[in-house]
Amino acid sequence: MTTLTPTEAAAFDLGSSRGRVWRQVRSNRLGMTGGVMLAVVVLAALTAPLVAPHDPTETHFDLPFQVPFTVGFGLGTDDLGRDILSRTLYGVQVSLIVGALSVLVSVVVGTPLGLLAGYWKWLDAIISRLTDVALAFPFLIIAVGLAAISGPSLTNAVIAIGVSHVPAMIRIVRGETLRITSADFVTSAKTLDAGGARIIAQHVLPNCVSAIIVQATVIMPVAVIGEALLSFLGLGIQPPTPSLGIMLSDAQQYLGQAPWAAVVPGVAIAVICLGFNLFGDALRDALDPTASDRK
């Protein structure tokens, strides 16, 4: 009988569990609903240059506040006569880009720090205390503060939102590292004089992937809302680049005259966030076999 090393066993278990995870996600109706919503949103963002009827920055000063279903303007126009459908499609594209890059920043920065804090106690005393201080401030306070200091731009918005989520990522990865390092296969690796860096890379990190993926689905909708908020306050994406937050900011003074100018981007944000929340919950339950036992 062939004996597998802990790394090979983990890889085998990961491969064999993929089918189980997918079956559980498929059996979750709310999760699949969220997945369909995300598929539609991503498809709309990817095909925006092809399906948008107008340039999102094109103005029609003679056609302001056209109501939805007007010929040539399916979702109406705003105060400058810009097509709301086109601006929404490009706004969704920007929101997903900012959200994905923000998640990438939080993962790239937070994962190594969480691994270090969970494995080496002397680093834990430093990293965890700094993390606790950062977690004492609400996410939006940190994001708005960083964006205000660095200045309004897409890059700065990504950095501000991503950095503000690093403490939560550190906390999640640290907890998983503490749990995994108490497992028998890690203890065996230590008795064989395996170095800390090797244990982290070959044994701890692969087993943290599920928790990181689930946390990414939690961060993504918050990042989308954060981008909309920063743009609404003038600290994120700058005109003429279309953004859902900018659309809401422009439409607030015309709510009585053209409510659809605010409703459309608001619904787009709600669909993105709801899709990620529903799909993320299903994915969390599928990746955590004990979740169904706790319910």
Side-chain angles (χ1 to χ4, degrees):
M1 181 176 179
T2 303
T3 302
L4 299 178
T5 65
T7 303
E8 292 172 337
F12 177 79
D13 181 68
L14 177 62
S16 63
S17 65
R18 288 173 181 169
R20 176 188 61 80
V21 170
W22 174 238
R23 286 194 299 272
Q24 289 194 19
V25 172
R26 277 193 313 179
S27 65
N28 189 315
R29 292 184 179 180
L30 289 178
M32 287 305 297
T33 300
V36 171
M37 294 168 67
L38 291 180
V40 172
V41 167
V42 172
L43 181 62
L46 293 175
T47 60
L50 300 176
V51 301
H54 299 277
D55 187 304
T57 62
E58 181 182 0
T59 57
H60 304 85
F61 294 112
D62 56 332
L63 297 172
F65 302 126
Q66 295 295 302
V67 299
F69 307 112
T70 299
V71 176
F73 302 100
L75 295 179
T77 61
D78 60 10
D79 57 309
L80 297 179
R82 294 172 296 190
D83 181 52
I84 292 178
L85 174 59
S86 301
R87 290 179 63 78
T88 301
L89 290 173
Y90 278 90
V92 167
Q93 187 181 72
V94 169
S95 294
L96 293 180
I97 290 174
V98 171
L101 292 178
S102 299
V103 169
L104 180 62
V105 169
S106 66
V107 170
V108 170
V109 178
T111 299
L113 292 176
L115 291 171
L116 294 175
Y119 192 83
W120 282 291
K121 300 299 182 184
W122 65 276
L123 283 175
D124 187 25
I126 300 173
I127 296 174
S128 292
R129 298 298 77 76
L130 294 176
T131 301
D132 291 339
V133 171
L135 289 173
F137 296 91
F139 147 73
L140 292 177
I141 298 297
I142 298 177
V144 170
L146 291 175
I149 293 172
S150 57
S153 70
L154 187 148
T155 301
N156 290 339
V158 168
I159 294 174
I161 296 172
V163 169
S164 64
H165 283 291
V166 167
M169 183 62 71
I170 292 175
R171 178 66 63 85
I172 293 296
V173 176
R174 173 185 175 274
E176 285 295 300
T177 302
L178 290 173
R179 180 182 65 83
I180 295 166
T181 51
S182 63
D184 291 339
F185 65 87
V186 174
T187 303
S188 300
K190 290 179 180 179
T191 59
L192 295 174
D193 293 331
R198 180 178 179 181
I199 292 175
I200 290 175
Q202 295 187 359
H203 303 297
V204 180
L205 180 58
N207 287 284
C208 288
V209 171
S210 296
I212 293 172
I213 292 174
V214 171
Q215 184 63 16
T217 63
V218 173
I219 294 175
M220 188 70 179
V222 182
V224 170
I225 294 176
E227 182 277 322
L229 174 65
L230 292 179
S231 298
F232 183 88
L233 297 175
L235 298 174
I237 312 302
Q238 295 298 294
T241 303
S243 164
L244 299 178
I246 292 176
M247 294 177 66
L248 289 172
S249 179
D250 293 340
Q252 63 175 332
Q253 55 186 322
Y254 304 109
L255 287 176
Q257 189 174 0
W260 57 86
V263 170
V264 173
V267 169
I269 294 174
V271 169
I272 295 173
C273 294
L274 183 60
F276 273 108
N277 285 329
L278 293 177
F279 186 75
D281 286 345
L283 188 61
R284 179 199 61 201
D285 293 343
L287 291 172
D288 183 7
T290 64
S292 59
D293 298 335
R294 294 194 301 264
K295 292 183 179 180

